């Protein structure tokens, strides 16, 4: 039976780089190479990289509100 799934993966990558070098571009290439290297361990799977992009400030989820707990005077 053929199956498929779309997965969302979030990576945090750190490394040393020259100040003027495009760290985002070289890191995107490195991630593609890492995924390709890992595929050799699972030749039965076909992986297509749809997009690799840098996460922007606007992509972060909104802060969670603190959970409401029971308190004194619980009614009006």
């Amino acid at each position: 039976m053929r199956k498929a799934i779309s997965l969302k993966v979030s990576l945090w990558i750190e490394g040393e780089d020259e100040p003027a070098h495009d760290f985002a571009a070289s890191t995107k290439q490195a991630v593609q190479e890492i995924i390709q290297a890992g595929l050799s361990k699972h030749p039965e799977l076909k992986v297509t990289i749809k997009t690799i992009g840098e996460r922007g400030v606007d992509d972060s989820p909104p802060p969670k509100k603190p959970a409401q707990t029971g308190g004194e005077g619980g009614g009006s």
Side-chain angles (χ1 to χ4, degrees):
M1 171 187 291
R2 187 109 177 123
K3 294 183 177 184
I5 186 169
S6 176
L7 298 174
K8 182 176 181 179
V9 177
S10 178
L11 302 172
W12 178 260
I13 300 173
E14 296 181 36
E16 297 295 322
D17 199 10
E18 296 297 321
H21 189 249
D22 187 350
F23 187 67
S26 62
T27 305
K28 289 177 196 178
Q29 180 63 38
V31 168
Q32 288 179 339
E33 292 171 6
I34 290 166
I35 292 170
Q36 291 300 321
L39 284 173
S40 65
K41 295 195 179 259
H42 295 279
E44 74 281 8
L45 298 176
K46 177 185 175 192
V47 175
T48 303
I49 300 171
K50 299 284 187 176
T51 61
I52 296 179
E54 188 174 356
R55 182 175 168 183
V57 175
D58 294 337
D59 295 337
S60 60
K64 294 182 179 179
K65 294 181 181 177
Q68 295 272 331
T69 60
E72 295 182 25
S76 17

